[in-house]
Amino acid sequence: MGSIKASVWSLLSGGFVYAEMTSHVIWANWLALVWIVMFAWQITVSTTKKGTTDRR
């Protein structure tokens, strides 16, 4: 699972850099938006999972 996540992040980052370097600004903006949403989702899921180990 970790290698799949790493591959997805690498592809998004590489695609963004390629789009910026080749002046495909709209495509780069969509890749950046997807990257931001996925990052926020990953942080949310990670925080939620840590919160389930509640000790009372």
Side-chain angles (χ1 to χ4, degrees), residues 33-44:
L33 182 65
V34 168
W35 195 92
I36 291 167
V37 168
M38 285 182 62
F39 185 76
W41 177 67
Q42 181 176 345
I43 294 295
T44 303

Side-chain angles (χ1 to χ4, degrees), residues 13-47:
S13 299
F16 175 76
V17 170
Y18 174 78
E20 281 290 327
M21 298 290 277
T22 57
S23 298
H24 291 96
V25 178
I26 294 174
W27 189 51
N29 288 342
W30 279 109
L31 282 175
L33 182 65
V34 168
W35 195 92
I36 291 167
V37 168
M38 285 182 62
F39 185 76
W41 177 67
Q42 181 176 345
I43 294 295
T44 303
V45 169
S46 175
T47 305

